Amino acid sequence: MDSFKDREKAFENKFAHDEEMQFKAFARRNRLIGLWAAAELGKTGAEAEAYAMEVVYADFQEVGHEEVYRKIAADLAGKADETTIRSKMDELLGMAKAQILEE
Protein backbone atom coordinates (compact mmCIF):
# COMPACT_ATOMS: atom_id res chain seq x y z
CA MET A 1 0.00 0.00 0.00
CA ASP A 2 2.82 2.43 0.81
CA SER A 3 4.35 1.68 -2.58
CA PHE A 4 1.16 2.78 -4.33
CA LYS A 5 0.95 5.98 -2.26
CA ASP A 6 4.62 6.72 -2.94
CA ARG A 7 4.04 6.24 -6.64
CA GLU A 8 0.94 8.41 -6.56
CA LYS A 9 2.86 11.17 -4.75
CA ALA A 10 5.69 10.93 -7.29
CA PHE A 11 3.23 11.35 -10.18
CA GLU A 12 1.63 14.34 -8.45
CA ASN A 13 5.04 15.93 -7.89
CA LYS A 14 6.03 15.36 -11.52
CA PHE A 15 2.76 16.83 -12.76
CA ALA A 16 3.22 19.93 -10.56
CA HIS A 17 6.82 20.32 -11.75
CA ASP A 18 5.83 19.95 -15.42
CA GLU A 19 3.05 22.53 -15.02
CA GLU A 20 5.44 24.97 -13.35
CA MET A 21 8.00 24.52 -16.12
CA GLN A 22 5.32 25.02 -18.78
CA PHE A 23 4.16 28.22 -17.08
CA LYS A 24 7.72 29.53 -16.90
CA ALA A 25 8.36 28.65 -20.55
CA PHE A 26 5.27 30.53 -21.76
CA ALA A 27 6.03 33.53 -19.53
CA ARG A 28 9.57 33.66 -20.86
CA ARG A 29 8.35 33.24 -24.45
CA ASN A 30 5.94 36.11 -23.92
CA ARG A 31 8.75 38.33 -22.65
CA LEU A 32 10.94 37.36 -25.60
CA ILE A 33 8.18 37.98 -28.16
CA GLY A 34 7.51 41.29 -26.41
CA LEU A 35 11.15 42.29 -26.79
CA TRP A 36 11.07 41.25 -30.46
CA ALA A 37 7.90 43.27 -31.08
CA ALA A 38 9.34 46.22 -29.17
CA ALA A 39 12.35 46.20 -31.50
CA GLU A 40 10.00 46.07 -34.49
CA LEU A 41 8.25 49.15 -33.05
CA GLY A 42 11.57 50.96 -32.54
CA LYS A 43 11.53 50.71 -28.75
CA THR A 44 14.77 50.19 -26.84
CA GLY A 45 16.01 49.97 -23.28
CA ALA A 46 13.52 50.53 -20.49
CA GLU A 47 10.74 51.27 -22.97
CA ALA A 48 11.28 47.87 -24.64
CA GLU A 49 11.33 46.10 -21.25
CA ALA A 50 8.11 47.83 -20.21
CA TYR A 51 6.45 46.78 -23.46
CA ALA A 52 7.65 43.19 -22.97
CA MET A 53 6.03 43.16 -19.53
CA GLU A 54 2.77 44.41 -21.07
CA VAL A 55 2.86 41.36 -23.34
CA VAL A 56 3.52 39.05 -20.38
CA TYR A 57 0.57 40.58 -18.50
CA ALA A 58 -1.65 40.25 -21.58
CA ASP A 59 -1.38 36.47 -21.20
CA PHE A 60 -3.19 36.71 -17.86
CA GLN A 61 -6.28 38.40 -19.33
CA GLU A 62 -8.02 35.17 -20.33
CA VAL A 63 -7.43 31.43 -20.53
CA GLY A 64 -5.08 30.40 -23.32
CA HIS A 65 -2.33 32.25 -25.13
CA GLU A 66 -4.27 33.78 -27.98
CA GLU A 67 -4.42 37.18 -26.29
CA VAL A 68 -0.64 37.46 -26.64
CA TYR A 69 -0.94 37.00 -30.39
CA ARG A 70 -3.81 39.52 -30.56
CA LYS A 71 -1.84 42.16 -28.65
CA ILE A 72 1.26 41.73 -30.79
CA ALA A 73 -0.79 41.64 -34.00
CA ALA A 74 -2.67 44.82 -33.08
CA ASP A 75 0.50 46.65 -32.07
CA LEU A 76 2.41 45.51 -35.17
CA ALA A 77 -0.45 46.11 -37.61
CA GLY A 78 1.13 46.57 -41.02
CA LYS A 79 4.62 45.63 -39.79
CA ALA A 80 4.22 41.86 -39.38
CA ASP A 81 1.66 39.39 -40.66
CA GLU A 82 0.04 36.50 -38.79
CA THR A 83 2.46 33.90 -40.15
CA THR A 84 5.48 35.92 -39.08
CA ILE A 85 4.15 36.53 -35.58
CA ARG A 86 3.03 32.95 -34.99
CA SER A 87 6.26 31.46 -36.32
CA LYS A 88 8.26 33.84 -34.13
CA MET A 89 6.14 32.80 -31.12
CA ASP A 90 6.88 29.13 -31.87
CA GLU A 91 10.58 29.81 -32.35
CA LEU A 92 10.82 31.76 -29.11
CA LEU A 93 8.90 29.11 -27.15
CA GLY A 94 11.59 26.61 -28.13
CA MET A 95 14.27 29.11 -27.13
CA ALA A 96 12.53 29.79 -23.80
CA LYS A 97 12.32 26.07 -22.99
CA ALA A 98 16.01 25.62 -23.81
CA GLN A 99 16.97 28.55 -21.58
CA ILE A 100 14.95 27.18 -18.68
CA LEU A 101 16.55 23.74 -19.03
CA GLU A 102 20.00 25.36 -18.95
CA GLU A 103 19.28 27.10 -15.64
Side-chain angles (χ1 to χ4, degrees):
M1 196 72 139
D2 286 335
S3 174
F4 180 74
K5 287 188 181 206
D6 291 343
R7 224 175 132 182
E8 182 180 28
K9 185 69 173 168
F11 282 124
E12 288 173 0
N13 288 341
K14 182 181 181 334
F15 179 78
H17 178 266
D18 290 349
E19 288 296 307
E20 178 183 358
M21 297 307 284
Q22 189 78 341
F23 174 81
K24 287 180 179 181
F26 278 112
R28 182 159 310 185
R29 186 273 320 259
N30 294 342
R31 182 178 171 278
L32 293 172
I33 194 74
L35 291 173
W36 172 80
E40 294 292 309
L41 293 168
K43 299 175 188 255
T44 59
E47 189 178 22
E49 284 293 333
Y51 179 80
M53 291 311 297
E54 286 178 31
V55 174
V56 170
Y57 293 137
D59 194 23
F60 301 128
Q61 300 303 314
E62 60 187 63
V63 176
H65 303 285
E66 199 61 22
E67 63 277 3
V68 171
Y69 165 75
R70 285 193 302 266
K71 174 167 182 41
I72 298 287
D75 293 347
L76 292 180
K79 295 184 183 205
D81 63 6
E82 180 177 1
T83 303
T84 302
I85 295 168
R86 290 195 186 277
S87 63
K88 187 56 100 169
M89 289 174 75
D90 290 341
E91 173 190 336
L92 293 175
L93 180 59
M95 183 184 297
K97 286 179 178 180
Q99 288 176 357
I100 289 170
L101 288 175
E102 289 176 5
E103 294 176 348

